[in-house]
Amino acid sequence: MIDTNIVLGFLQEREPFVQDAARLFQRIDAGEVQGFIAATTITNIYYVVRRAAGVKVAQDAIIQVLTDLHICPVDRTILEQAIALNFRDFEDAVQLCLWNDTWGRCSYNSLCLWFCRCSDSSDVT
């Protein structure tokens, strides 16, 4: 599960994050790992990129994301589970609930691939 800011770091070449994000996307493109994002990430990416670079660049970014990544649906159940977690960062809570819903129980200390932007471990129960 890849956080919105990781995708934006890659698409907008944000320093100092672009190198790590580029390595992740190289592994996705090579078929070494699969990339997953929340459906809500798509609209956030479009909004941020459009404001920074215009409609055409935003549309191209969305096309690239849809080509490279799997989209996980966000529904009422996921949102209710996320709000119940009481995380400081609601997006991180949604992503964890999507992860749990898709791949089973995953805790902060278990071995799972959840690419988020430096979540504070105190957020995760």
Side-chain angles (χ1 to χ4, degrees):
M1 191 66 58
I2 303 171
D3 185 85
T4 302
N5 289 314
I6 302 241
V7 178
L8 286 170
F10 175 71
L11 293 171
Q12 295 185 309
E13 300 180 0
R14 293 179 176 175
E15 292 294 342
F17 310 107
V18 66
Q19 290 82 15
D20 290 335
R23 280 195 295 276
L24 172 62
F25 280 91
Q26 287 168 352
R27 295 191 69 196
I28 291 169
D29 288 343
E32 296 173 21
V33 296
Q34 293 183 16
F36 294 82
I37 59 171
T40 51
T41 298
I42 296 290
T43 55
N44 293 338
I45 289 168
Y46 183 88
Y47 174 79
V48 170
V49 174
R50 181 188 56 80
R51 289 198 46 139
V55 171
K56 177 66 174 136
V57 174
Q59 290 171 338
D60 290 345
I62 297 305
I63 290 167
Q64 182 178 0
V65 167
L66 292 174
T67 300
D68 292 342
L69 303 176
H70 300 277
I71 312 303
C72 297
V74 177
D75 61 15
R76 181 184 187 98
T77 301
I78 294 295
L79 296 172
E80 288 173 345
Q81 291 170 358
I83 200 73
L85 289 175
N86 201 31
F87 279 18
R88 284 181 289 192
D89 188 312
F90 185 63
E91 180 189 11
D92 287 351
V94 169
Q95 290 175 348
L96 181 60
C97 290
L98 283 170
W99 177 271
N100 289 340
D101 186 61
T102 305
W103 294 282
R105 187 73 190 126
C106 174
S107 69
Y108 183 74
N109 292 320
S110 69
L111 180 61
C112 63
L113 298 175
W114 179 31
F115 296 101
C116 60
R117 57 168 199 337
C118 304
S119 284
D120 182 345
S121 62
S122 65
D123 274 352
V124 183
T125 57

